[in-house]
Amino acid sequence: MVSALSRSRVPMQFEVIAKCHTTKARVSRMSLVHGVTMLPTFMPVATQAAIKGLTAQQMEALGVTLILNNTYHLNLRPGLNVLNAAGGAHKFQGWDGNLLTDSGGFQLVSLSKFTTITEEGALFSSPFTGEPTMLTPEESISIQHTIGADIIMQLDDVVSSLTTGSRVEEAMERSVRWLDRCILQHEKSGKKGAQNLFAIVQGGLDPLLRDRCLDAMIERRDGVAGYAIGGLSGGEEKDVFWRIIKQCADKLPEERPRYSMGIGFAEDLLVCVALGVDMADCVFPTRTARFGVALTHNGPINLKLNKHAKDFRTIDENCPCPTCKDRTSRAMLHHIVTHETAAAHAITLHNIVFQAQVMGRAREAIIAGKFPDYLRSFFAQYFGDAGYPEWCINALRSVGVDLLEGKPNAKVILGNGAKWEYATN
Amino acid sequence: MSQSSAAATFSFSLQTPSRYGPRIGNILYRRTGPSSEPIQIATPGILTATSRGVVPHLSRDNHRATNAIRWVNVPFETFLEHNPPVPTLQPGLNPLHTFLGFVPGKHILSMSGRDPYDGREMPPNGVQHISVNSLRGVRKLSPSDWRSYVLSCKPDIVFALSDIPFTNPPYSQKRLTKSIDRSATWLSAILRPAEGERPLNVLVHMAGGTSAPARKAFSDSLVEKLYGPEADAVAPLTTLDEAVAGYSFDLVPLRQSLEVSEKRDPRNASPTDLNPVIPTHTEQIIPLVKASLTPLPETKPRLINSTESPHEILHYISSVGIDLFDAHWAQRAADIGVALDFEFPVRSASDERRDIGHNLYDEQFTYDFKPFADAFRGVISEEDSSSVPICHCLACSPFHPPSRIYHGFDTPEHSGTPIRDPESAPHYKPHHTRAYIHHLLHTHEMSAHTFLVMHNLEVLDAFFAGIRSVIAERPEAWTEEVEKFLQKYDGSLKVFEAAKASWKAVELARGKGRLAREKEKQDEATLGTVIETDD
Ligand SMILES: [Zn+2]
Ligand SMILES: [Zn+2]
């Protein structure tokens, strides 16, 4: 255990350990108050202080060291008074590992129809009383201080990635101004020793706006411990998505972690890692598990389908998760999926481990100098039959990896990529 | 009493034999094979209920971490959705264990045709079948199919098929006669030893409905010497009872019949009903149980399905010496947000009457950071109350797992995280709090039920351990201890009603759109068990 004193001296240590010789991928060690997380990593989402159906003890056993809570939700329930009385969100949910909270802004915009953004903050109607309520950047930071996550996010002015026109520029510029207010609030709070503020790069799909935002936020690097790339994963073309990620990752400072928000598909994760991203989060792997979809290195499988009813193989023979290690059969999972919560638990355990394995193998490959090989073999196995998404080929070519090398007859899927068994959800 | 076989032995011994009074005993189940440590179950004790073959809300790691789970009953009817039923195709030495993820060295698995808690109206049974429920509708299950499923699945214990009507109570004398005849015939079908097959450990349901003479007649038919073709059918057995491992009683059909005979409205109890409003009718059922047991040897275990409270359990132990009880009601309490909190024997005789648990939906728990129960503490709960016993459930006594999965370049040598000796004693963490579960219930998080199930099963298991200790050490104090318990804890189970009401209120607050969308899924039958799909 680190003493409280030394904790306050060293809020975050971020150290790049190895870099891929070809791509922009890197392995780093991020030490926070609640432990060390090796990057790149995927962060499972515990929206309301629980990974749905699982316990903190299980998450620890799965080898997860960093999870995400949503500020918007925790602020509504249990509320800050309860979290304060509990001694913070870690203690409240019995989680001793690292924790990241978002600013609450994204959910305000996506879950509340009546949110209006003003320079002061986001104005919304309280879900409890209906009264107009303001979430300012200062307020967001102070809420996140109460929650007590190891990594906290600035409040940004979120616009859908499909928005065009002057609103995108306005949101980007306001996000920079709000970053200043967040930094100020964080500096004066005295929490800087234990919690780390990340900035969120905005600018929509416009490279010029992104560039201006990057410049402004990099200027403020002394006030921020890391950078997130926001405003993506909102239904934009994948070919645009990766270019923005690349642009941001290329420009962001080497010595700060880079976090791509809302990314969870395996192919997206690996492309982002190759472009230089260190962290990502998404509800997809845990959510799709509850619908009966298990992620595997051969592509997702939908256990609801009748073809699994008499299949005594487990999800993935080589998977170290508790479900596969115990050789839980697809037939058994098929029997209980969407009927018993235990099915959701079993597949959630597996999917979380799958995500961790995808990232863990990336780390090992980078260290071993074999990351391009890993990319090629992963994509061949994952998309071999379904076809390679063209955007992944393009994205990886931009960092010197040709997925189709030696595969002149490979099937290529145009547009946003392959459709899996889970597409019916 | 024991059944010897080449495959496995099931034996039951009574330390304190008693025909109708409280008694303690021991079930010993010994498998052959290299890891043949016998499984022991002290009685009175519990069996854990399953739904579609799983202990609801528990992943395999969690059900294994719950030591109260030792005997698990598997109603087989849901598997009849496929023909042949999928578990019968499972290869291996212990197919049912393997398919469902139970551990042969730790868990005794029994297999019953129907869910004993399911009292819904059904089409009539026939001469050669009972009607069973599956998701794809009603299926017919014949004694010969039952035998073949059992031989394929190799459970440790099997319930013989019993002709229990769920059509339209009350049942005529003629119907009851048919019922006991069929049940006896079906029993002989499963008892019949066959070449090369291992003899089965068979529990027989005590047929005869609410007619004491019919019940006695059924029991008589078990012990009477068989002649002619009947004897040939089960040779070398000379009576059916010879090969019967124990006796079981299903309360749901009895309650339904008694309710109708009192001209009340029988409520169809489904396996997912929380606490059927049907009164328990314990006083009327006790003589019926006795009528069944009178002709039978007292040395075999007796099992009752579908009690609803610790109060009822104590009655059945006191009056008819029941040895085994299903835990269904305690598991269902977890579905509606109730954390059980009771102890036997009562240690502190306080004046205040208490509920047997806490409705954690209640606002009073918003800031309550205590462990789930007052009667138990976590291993490292702060209160300086070493006299309070420990609840070893993973909610009250969570710990850092002795090992974790590594995914690549994240082992201690790379991350610098101190390594934990997997051999060392568990590194316990503070208990999960009532406030946390209150939050999880109000936010519809499935984890709430996981914690509550593990806790409730441990509390129930501790209750039975207390029962055994009183019978063993202070049998003369039994009546007094039962009285103390009945005095202290409210037997009307108001807390369950309150929890159910809270659940409904939370559902409504979640918004009409969602309710409309999932109307079908959100009816009471699925209360607390629906898989959360929202984020
Ligand atoms: Zn797995
Ligand atoms: Zn407990």
Side-chain angles (χ1 to χ4, degrees), chain B residues 25 46 61-62 108 110 115 157 200-201 223 245 268 316 327 376 381 388 398 429 432 447 455 457 486 513 528:
Chain B
I46 55 171
D61 48 345
N62 281 336
I108 295 182
S110 59
D115 184 333
I157 293 162
L200 301 166
N201 301 306
V223 288
N268 278 334
Y316 281 113
F376 299 90
S381 293
V388 178
K429 307 203 305 181
H432 287 289
S447 307
H455 172 80
L457 285 170
L486 302 181

Side-chain angles (χ1 to χ4, degrees), chain A residues 1 17 27 29 31 35-36 38 45 47-58 60-65 73-74 77-78 81-83 85-86 91-96 283-284 286-287 290-291 306 309-312 320-323 326-329 331-332 334-346 349 352-353 356-357 359-361 363-364 367, chain B residues 51-62 64 78-79 81-84 86-91 98-102 135-136 363 366-367 369 394 397-401 403-411 413-418 420 429-430 432-433 435-440 442-447 450-451 454 510 521 528-535:
Chain A
M1 270 293 172
I17 293 168
V27 172
R29 184 186 290 120
S31 307
V36 175
M38 300 303 293
V45 181
T47 300
Q48 318 200 80
I51 302 286
K52 293 202 186 303
L54 305 190
T55 68
Q57 183 169 334
Q58 284 176 301
E60 189 181 339
L62 296 185
V64 172
T65 58
H73 291 88
L74 290 196
R77 260 193 186 279
N81 291 338
V82 171
L83 289 173
K91 285 192 177 147
F92 183 67
Q93 62 200 300
W95 172 247
D96 306 306
V283 296
F284 160 73
T286 43
R287 182 180 167 80
R290 300 195 294 281
F291 286 101
N306 277 328
K310 293 177 183 178
D311 190 340
F312 291 97
C321 89
T323 303
D326 205 54
R327 309 192 51 75
T328 311
S329 65
M332 180 55 197
H334 174 78
H335 181 68
I336 55 176
V337 87
T338 69
H339 298 299
E340 290 294 332
T341 60
H345 306 343
L349 289 168
I352 287 173
V353 167
Q357 290 275 305
M359 298 303 249
R361 291 179 193 186
R363 289 192 300 267
E364 281 198 327
I367 295 280
Chain B
S51 171
R52 297 187 75 78
V54 297
V55 180
H57 308 301
L58 298 191
S59 54
R60 292 179 175 191
D61 48 345
N62 281 336
R64 282 171 203 167
T78 60
F79 293 106
E81 287 150 17
H82 287 97
N83 190 13
V86 178
T88 64
L89 306 173
Q90 171 77 49
T98 305
F99 190 70
L100 302 179
F102 292 96
L135 274 183
R136 297 188 189 171
E363 297 302 327
T366 311
Y367 289 93
F369 298 106
L394 292 184
S397 302
F399 54 90
H400 292 283
S403 61
R404 51 154 279 196
I405 302 172
Y406 292 103
H407 302 286
F409 209 75
D410 56 351
T411 54
E413 56 175 307
H414 302 305
S415 66
T417 308
R420 208 167 262 131
K429 307 203 305 181
H432 287 289
T433 63
Y436 182 47
I437 304 306
H438 174 77
H439 163 74
L440 295 179
H442 279 272
T443 50
H444 248 254
E445 289 288 341
M446 297 183 282
S447 307
T450 301
F451 285 121
M454 295 192 285
R510 278 173 68 79
K521 287 168 71 184
T529 65
V530 172
I531 294 167
E532 194 55 38
T533 47
D534 280 5
D535 268 297

Side-chain angles (χ1 to χ4, degrees), chain A residues 302-332:
Chain A
N302 185 347
L303 291 159
K304 272 197 87 164
L305 301 181
N306 277 328
K307 66 177 183 184
H308 302 293
K310 293 177 183 178
D311 190 340
F312 291 97
R313 291 175 301 164
T314 190
I315 300 168
D316 177 353
E317 298 286 334
N318 301 315
C319 173
C321 89
T323 303
C324 296
K325 232 179 144 190
D326 205 54
R327 309 192 51 75
T328 311
S329 65
R330 297 179 189 193
M332 180 55 197

Side-chain angles (χ1 to χ4, degrees), chain B residues 435-499:
Chain B
Y436 182 47
I437 304 306
H438 174 77
H439 163 74
L440 295 179
L441 287 170
H442 279 272
T443 50
H444 248 254
E445 289 288 341
M446 297 183 282
S447 307
H449 307 297
T450 301
F451 285 121
L452 287 169
V453 169
M454 295 192 285
H455 172 80
N456 286 356
L457 285 170
E458 294 290 1
V459 169
L460 188 59
D461 200 42
F463 170 73
F464 278 98
I467 287 172
R468 293 190 300 270
S469 80
V470 171
I471 302 173
E473 291 152 28
R474 299 183 290 127
E476 71 289 350
W478 173 259
T479 311
E480 185 194 330
E481 288 297 350
V482 170
E483 201 45 48
K484 259 162 66 181
F485 186 94
L486 302 181
Q487 282 303 316
K488 177 162 178 176
Y489 296 105
D490 171 43
S492 69
L493 309 181
K494 290 192 298 283
V495 62
F496 287 174
E497 288 307 315

Side-chain angles (χ1 to χ4, degrees), chain B residues 152-170:
Chain B
S152 303
C153 291
K154 300 185 174 63
D156 302 314
I157 293 162
V158 55
F159 288 82
L161 287 194
S162 186
D163 178 28
I164 310 173
F166 286 96
T167 44
N168 191 18

Side-chain angles (χ1 to χ4, degrees), chain B residues 372 391 393 395-396 455:
Chain B
F372 289 11
C391 177
C393 84
C396 296
H455 172 80

